Amino acid sequence: MFGLGLPEMGIIAVVAILIFGPKKIPELGNALGKTLRSFKEGVGLGDDESVPKEKENEEEGQPKV
């Protein structure tokens, strides 16, 4: 995973705990998960909205734009 081994991951975890504190780490993980989920939904909606337009154009005999 990105060339990081177990010792490097441990050091990153210890530094994160020292900076943010053990009570704040789950909250940060939760916020990061929600952000990634909303980003995926936003990207997915952009793709889904274009599909019906392409189908309408094909049904009307118009070439794809």
Side-chain angles (χ1 to χ4, degrees), residues 46-64:
D47 292 341
D48 291 342
E49 290 174 356
S50 65
V51 172
K53 291 178 185 176
E54 290 175 2
K55 287 183 180 178
E56 288 175 9
N57 288 342
E58 288 175 3
E59 290 173 359
E60 295 174 1
Q62 298 175 354
K64 292 182 183 178

Side-chain angles (χ1 to χ4, degrees), residues 7-58:
E8 291 86 0
M9 295 290 280
I11 292 171
I12 292 171
V14 168
V15 170
I17 290 173
L18 289 175
I19 292 174
F20 298 111
K23 292 183 181 179
K24 196 73 169 174
I25 296 291
E27 294 174 17
L28 292 173
N30 191 12
L32 179 64
K34 287 181 180 179
T35 302
L36 291 175
R37 191 175 313 121
S38 66
F39 178 76
K40 280 178 59 176
E41 289 174 359
V43 169
L45 287 177
D47 292 341
D48 291 342
E49 290 174 356
S50 65
V51 172
K53 291 178 185 176
E54 290 175 2
K55 287 183 180 178
E56 288 175 9
N57 288 342
E58 288 175 3

